[in-house]
Amino acid sequence: MSDSLFWLKSWFPVSLWFPLSVVSLFLLSILLLAEGLSRFTSMSGELTRKVVHIGTGNVILLAWWLNIPPILGISAAVIAGCIALISFFLPILPSINSVGRRSLGTFFYALSIGILIAWFWPLGQPQYAVIGILVMTWGDGMAAVIGQQFGKHPYQIWGNNKSWEGSLAMMLMSFLVTSWVLLTTVDNHGLVWLTGLLVAIMATSLETISKLGIDNLTVPLASAFLAYLMINF
């Protein structure tokens, strides 16, 4: 028993128990909420998936504020990716994939979180990982919600059906979250606004032309990389 306790403390010191508990409870509550909405309400599968999409994406803020070690974030992303793949082939979690179309978007979402944490946490600049994930979380999430509920002006690119209302919602949210995060770390406000605008345009463009959920990978990585280049070089 003492050996087991020693192993547990060496991998998960007491200082990590609180942030791990907060993150775990947050993710569990989002998943339970989405599953409840999916199984016991008439809410569409796409909307319940967006509850998961927007809710779980904000875990990157907890990881940043609680200074969670990168290995834990990467491990959580790997586990989430595996669950997403299983749910893609087996309908165990309808709130993840019940959107009437086959997509690996949730898997790419988890993959992007793992890559960005592995990339920017060791550099001591986690804010760029936060930007990448939040652009996808709020930009793409609100694009879908606004587009479905209020999209009155549709357009099509490469077989993708979009609406101007949804695309403008993504551009606005991408600009806001990018600018908000950068304002906490960068003094040059003019550069912050310019970076936010460029990230918003690029993210919206990538989301518009993407297929099979690949935007859940390309949008976060490209947004984080562009913001990093603009501010550092």
Side-chain angles (χ1 to χ4, degrees), residues 1-10:
M1 180 65 69
S2 59
D3 291 340
S4 299
L5 289 175
F6 176 78
W7 178 89
L8 182 62
K9 290 181 179 180
S10 64

Side-chain angles (χ1 to χ4, degrees), residues 175 178-179 182-183 186 188-197 231:
F175 172 77
T178 300
S179 301
L182 289 178
L183 285 173
V186 178
N188 187 337
H189 291 180
L191 182 58
V192 167
W193 305 131
L194 176 60
T195 301
L197 178 61
I231 299 302

